Amino acid sequence: MGVLSEFFKGLRVTGRVLVDTVTGDGLVTTKYPEEFRQKPQRFHGRHVLNRYPDGMEKCIGCELCAGACPARCIYVRGADNPPDEPVAPGERFGYVYEINMLRCIFCGLCVEACPTEAITMSSLFEMSTWNREDAIYTKDELLMRPDGSVPHMFPDDPLARHKELETADGWLRATAPSGVAAYEGVQGWQGTPGRANWDPEPDQEARDA
Amino acid sequence: MDVVDVLFVIGRVLAVFVLLLVVTILNVWLERKILADMQNRVGPDRAGPWGILQTVADGLKLFFKEQITPRKVEYGLYVLAPFLAVIPAFLMFMVVPFGRPITIGGREVPLQGADLNIGLLFILAMSSIAVYAVVLAGWSSGSKYPLLGGVRATAQAISYEAAMGIAMVSVVMFSATTGPDGTLSLAAIVERQAGTYDMTIPFLQWADFIPRWNLWPQFVAFVIFLIAIVAETNRAPFDLVEAEQELVGGFHTEYSGMRFAMYFLAEYVNIFSMSAICATLFLGGWTGPTFDGQIPALFSALLPFVWFLIKTYAIIFLFFWIRATLPRMRYDQLMQLGWKRLIPGALIWLMVSTVVIAFRQFGPPWS
Ligand code: SF4
Ligand code: SF4
């Protein structure tokens, strides 16, 4: 009776899973809004515009990100820095910066294109809005505050998890800002966006020792 | 029969109705929860404690949905079909006794919608009418998928109802030997299963706790009946009638809102009724220890109902377990199982039990 033994074998599998799940260690899903999983390090979430540790904006308004964007969803206008009160180091700064999150495909090409690491991606993906206008993120929502925290569209929403906004994306970890494959002697990646106050990577020998 | 009797009858019918609605609400939730647990998931847990109100929420949602009527339907039959599904489903349970008769104010009140002396025939009739609902829904929707679902339903119901009926016949024959005469009344069939075996064989005396259920002498009929009721209620692995993946929901593809909810309700009421009938025929229905005189009379009166629920839910759990385990059968496999295995099996079992019963009643023909 091959069929019967297979039948009971099947019942045993589901029965075992039932017991496992009820006793608690078989569960593979999480009760999402209350519990959530650790996201991968290189998760592509909402964008953040970063600042230097001294509070200067990193974006220089070069529009390279807008050029690289395959979805054409970034709109940047640069403007000359006011000489007495510069917003960003160098000549120009990003005067207008908008991303249409409805069109963004979260490919991360803008992050790759940016010469100053001004734009990076966080781990936040809860970006539902009540209307289309709210889905267009302006500089006010994208730019981190001088104290290093990042604004949220709906800060009081139960799903607003501000910590997710402050984990930087892994693209920066995977590449050396200097373009040198070995990290030696250059400032590397750190776990929070923007505040470029980390130590340069030690050289290979020093690390192995 | 006076006014009070009439009131009691109305009360019984209402009790059955409410019981069925409540268990349906619970069963939908229970099924989703058990399926989830068998698939390593959490399942519904938002509405109420442990999500127990999920079905109420779903019902409310369906209640307020628009009932879309496609242009090509045969209107009269299209509207009639859901009622044809619900009403027999409720009627079927009316003949199932769900507790020991209780005495209120000197009147004997059977806990049963109605004690028909043709109970089993009535059940078969109702389950046949329920097939009309599916067939008519499939045909009157004026669309291809429901039609296919309806055609499948016809073939499936015919094949499996035969096996179910034959399995019932052997139970009826057997229970005729345990009482004064043959009976189709479910109340009588249950009462004849009360008590335990009195073991006369000395070395088997320890086994005198075994209840005198029809399950033991009629085990083959039980298995056949179980398979047939799973097919009869169109549950996995016999849910070819609905077959979400191939038929987009089968016969109820074109139904929405409350009309769809009625099919849903009918399906779950049917599961409960069929499991209850199975428990009644084979597992002794409401019989079980009631500890009369040892515990308060109220508990003694309630205990049979509890036994009934436990037995019914054991079978319902089996339904859910099988659904979580087995993939849907192919159509030819379904027909083969029905016509080449179950019906011949049921017939052979019927003959075997006939011969055995005849020997026990009349002795061997050569004596
Ligand atoms: S992630 Fe891709 S699509 Fe989105 S803004 Fe950046 S470049 Fe454009
Ligand atoms: S975000 Fe980077 S690439 Fe885009 S405009 Fe600013 S500096 Fe240029």
Side-chain angles (χ1 to χ4, degrees), chain B residues 53-367:
Chain B
L53 295 178
Q54 183 65 42
T55 320
V56 180
D58 286 347
L60 275 180
K61 183 195 77 177
L62 284 172
F63 197 77
F64 289 112
K65 284 238 165 173
E66 184 189 356
Q67 301 192 354
I68 299 164
T69 310
R71 215 178 314 137
K72 279 187 168 179
V73 299
E74 292 279 338
Y75 192 75
L77 291 178
Y78 177 80
V79 174
L80 179 71
F83 291 99
L84 268 186
V86 169
I87 294 172
F90 276 98
L91 283 182
M92 200 189 306
F93 192 78
M94 283 293 163
V95 296
V96 180
F98 54 89
R100 193 172 53 169
I102 48 176
T103 319
I104 303 177
R107 284 169 210 266
E108 175 109 329
V109 182
L111 288 186
Q112 186 178 16
D115 183 13
L116 297 188
N117 54 1
I118 51 154
L120 277 181
L121 274 185
F122 181 77
I123 286 168
L124 280 177
M126 286 304 127
S127 77
S128 308
I129 289 182
V131 179
Y132 278 95
V134 177
V135 176
L136 288 182
W139 181 74
S140 66
S141 291
S143 130
K144 308 282 181 301
Y145 289 129
L147 186 62
L148 277 173
V151 170
R152 285 182 179 187
T154 332
Q156 181 173 331
I158 291 173
S159 336
Y160 283 85
E161 213 149 277
M164 190 172 105
I166 299 171
M168 276 185 185
V169 170
S170 36
V171 175
V172 170
M173 274 187 358
F174 177 79
S175 84
T177 67
T178 53
D181 53 358
T183 177
L184 289 174
S185 150
L186 286 172
I189 291 179
V190 168
E191 267 155 30
R192 289 174 192 186
Q193 297 178 62
T196 55
Y197 284 107
D198 37 339
M199 288 292 171
T200 42
I201 309 163
F203 61 88
L204 278 181
Q205 231 124 51
W206 54 269
D208 59 0
F209 62 87
I210 297 179
R212 296 178 41 182
W213 293 348
N214 287 342
L215 173 69
W216 319 118
Q218 292 288 333
F219 187 74
V220 176
F222 171 70
V223 172
I224 291 170
F225 189 79
L226 202 60
I227 297 175
I229 60 173
V230 175
E232 193 64 23
T233 48
N234 298 327
R235 301 281 302 170
F238 305 107
D239 56 346
L240 288 106
V241 177
E242 314 186 1
E244 290 88 352
Q245 292 86 349
E246 317 152 30
L247 295 186
V248 211
F251 62 92
H252 57 57
T253 305
E254 304 293 349
Y255 284 88
S256 50
M258 260 332 263
R259 291 185 193 140
F260 168 75
M262 275 199 243
Y263 278 113
F264 207 69
L265 179 66
E267 176 173 345
Y268 280 85
V269 171
N270 268 330
I271 293 171
F272 185 76
S273 315
M274 283 295 188
S275 307
I277 292 163
C278 188
T280 303
L281 287 181
F282 294 98
L283 303 182
W286 50 259
T287 62
T290 50
F291 309 107
D292 279 310
Q294 298 169 37
I295 53 175
L298 179 67
F299 290 121
S300 283
L302 270 181
L303 259 183
F305 181 55
V306 174
W307 295 129
F308 170 78
L309 278 188
I310 288 176
K311 289 166 186 176
T312 308
Y313 269 93
I315 294 169
I316 290 178
F317 180 76
L318 204 60
F319 264 71
F320 297 160
W321 196 357
I322 289 174
R323 168 163 179 199
T325 306
L326 295 184
R328 184 176 306 128
M329 290 178 105
R330 231 169 42 214
Y331 195 63
D332 59 321
Q333 292 172 331
L334 178 91
M335 284 294 137
Q336 261 189 16
L337 179 69
W339 289 100
K340 293 191 182 166
R341 310 266 191 285
L342 285 191
I343 293 180
L347 279 173
I348 290 172
W349 178 251
L350 179 62
M351 280 188 252
V352 169
S353 34
T354 316
V355 170
V356 172
I357 289 168
F359 266 64
R360 282 179 48 190
Q361 294 286 89
F362 310 115
W366 53 85
S367 65

Side-chain angles (χ1 to χ4, degrees), chain A residues 10-201:
Chain A
L11 284 187
R12 226 179 54 218
V13 172
T14 39
R16 202 173 47 223
V17 173
L18 173 80
V19 174
D20 278 359
T21 313
V22 170
T23 52
D25 31 318
L27 211 59
V28 293
T29 54
T30 46
K31 303 187 176 185
Y32 161 60
E34 286 104 49
E35 310 161 12
F36 50 97
R37 292 185 180 175
Q38 186 70 41
K39 295 202 186 83
Q41 202 99 54
R42 299 185 186 183
F43 190 84
H44 282 191
R46 206 205 93 177
H47 307 73
V48 173
L49 280 175
N50 297 317
R51 285 181 195 265
Y52 288 110
D54 58 5
M56 291 274 225
E57 288 174 21
K58 281 187 173 182
C59 177
I60 52 173
C62 68
E63 298 183 26
L64 281 178
C65 51
C69 177
R72 292 269 170 273
C73 62
I74 305 187
Y75 175 72
V76 189
R77 278 283 159 268
D80 284 339
N81 265 317
D84 43 342
E85 213 183 328
V87 182
E91 275 177 39
R92 288 162 70 75
F93 75 106
Y95 174 59
V96 178
Y97 200 104
E98 285 175 6
I99 300 183
N100 185 345
M101 290 298 176
L102 287 176
R103 296 184 63 177
C104 176
I105 57 172
F106 297 93
C107 60
L109 288 181
C110 48
V111 180
E112 283 184 51
C114 182
T116 62
E117 286 179 8
I119 185 158
T120 58
M121 287 171 131
S122 65
S123 302
L124 186 97
F125 68 83
E126 289 93 349
M127 289 186 286
S128 316
T129 57
W130 293 102
N131 55 47
R132 291 179 183 215
E133 255 160 48
D134 281 353
I136 298 172
Y137 280 60
T138 60
K139 201 173 159 187
D140 291 340
E141 285 114 21
L142 289 168
L143 185 66
M144 73 189 322
R145 300 194 191 93
D147 65 353
S149 63
V150 182
H152 192 286
M153 248 315 181
F154 305 104
D156 303 322
D157 194 90
L159 279 182
R161 293 206 291 271
H162 299 272
K163 210 176 115 270
E164 302 269 279
L165 271 175
E166 278 152 37
T167 44
D169 78 287
W171 168 253
L172 298 177
R173 161 175 277 195
T175 54
S178 58
V180 182
Y183 274 63
E184 288 156 33
V186 293
Q187 289 184 333
W189 177 83
Q190 71 163 17
T192 56
R195 317 286 290 173
N197 49 3
W198 56 88
D199 292 333
E201 296 268 334

